[in-house]
Amino acid sequence: MPRVLRYLTHPQVQMDPDTDVQRWSLNSLGANRVATLAASGALTDTTAIISSNETKALETARPLATALGCPVDIQDTMHENDRSATGFLPPAEFETVADAFFAQPCTSIRGWETAQDAQTRIVTAFNACLAIHKSGDVLFVGHGAVGTLLYCHLAGLPISRTHDQAPGGGCYFECDANDLAPQDGWQPMERLFRG
């Protein structure tokens, strides 16, 4: 049977300018989407869940792991692109800087980690985890920007925001473990149980 690898991004979060972005939690919509997926019976062949250490990713990974009866392997290097140089940015300003982040992958935009460095980091983490988890379907739980950078790498595409997930997050892509090529673009998590 084909072994499926999936990368799932956390869904909607509660934005709080006074809290470190890495410690943001899911909002009620995001948490409900995760709970619905966890209760759906989807992902039954998943034997390992590998998560970023950010709160919003863990709040996505842990209910799924509980429903599936499998452990969560927390990987510190799977965090979102490092944006600590600017801290919280209002949404419109954030989108402008994020556009530049993808458009100039070798340049640090306003002190952010470069897209090229973030891609190297997430690809290295992905490959290291696959070397450990060698059987069953594997679910990676993380973030939109680094997920898109991983997608671009696996698909053999140049770094570009045109390959980004839809707004709101809670999207996934999947690939066969044999060739690692994404089979489709980003899909909403609900497709896992609604078809």
Side-chain angles (χ1 to χ4, degrees):
M1 253 182 102
R3 181 171 170 238
V4 179
L5 311 176
R6 295 181 179 91
Y7 187 99
L8 172 68
T9 65
H10 65 80
Q12 290 87 345
V13 299
Q14 184 64 50
M15 290 190 290
D16 180 357
D18 297 322
T19 300
D20 185 330
V21 173
Q22 292 193 345
R23 303 282 71 89
W24 282 1
S25 289
L26 300 181
N27 66 18
S28 58
L29 175 58
N32 287 337
R33 291 180 71 194
V34 172
T36 301
L37 176 58
S40 71
L43 305 173
T44 54
D45 293 326
T46 301
T47 57
I49 295 180
I50 302 165
S51 178
S52 156
N53 66 355
E54 295 193 31
T55 300
K56 49 194 174 284
L58 291 171
E59 289 178 355
T60 303
R62 285 178 171 148
L64 299 175
T66 298
L68 293 166
C70 66
V72 177
D73 177 0
I74 300 172
Q75 293 294 321
D76 293 344
T77 56
M78 279 180 50
H79 62 82
E80 184 59 293
N81 62 309
D82 184 350
R83 309 189 298 263
S84 57
T86 58
F88 174 80
L89 295 173
E93 184 179 0
F94 171 82
E95 293 300 327
T96 298
V97 179
D99 285 344
F101 167 81
F102 280 99
Q104 303 172 59
C106 295
T107 300
S108 173
I109 307 299
R110 293 182 57 179
W112 284 15
E113 177 183 27
T114 70
Q116 186 62 66
D117 287 346
Q119 184 181 61
T120 298
R121 173 172 54 76
I122 192 64
V123 169
T124 299
F126 178 81
N127 289 335
C129 290
L130 290 185
I132 296 168
H133 299 280
K134 297 182 178 179
S135 63
D137 293 355
V138 178
L139 178 66
F140 292 83
V141 179
H143 310 276
V146 290
T148 297
L149 296 171
L150 177 63
Y151 176 88
C152 290
H153 171 80
L154 295 175
L157 297 167
I159 291 172
S160 170
R161 202 173 188 192
T162 60
H163 308 297
D164 200 0
Q165 66 175 345
C171 297
Y172 76 97
F173 67 84
E174 65 183 36
C175 54
D176 187 298
N178 291 322
D179 63 15
L180 301 183
Q183 296 168 357
D184 291 300
W186 290 105
Q187 304 294 327
M189 63 165 63
E190 288 76 13
R191 185 176 174 186
L192 287 165
F193 55 90
R194 290 182 187 155

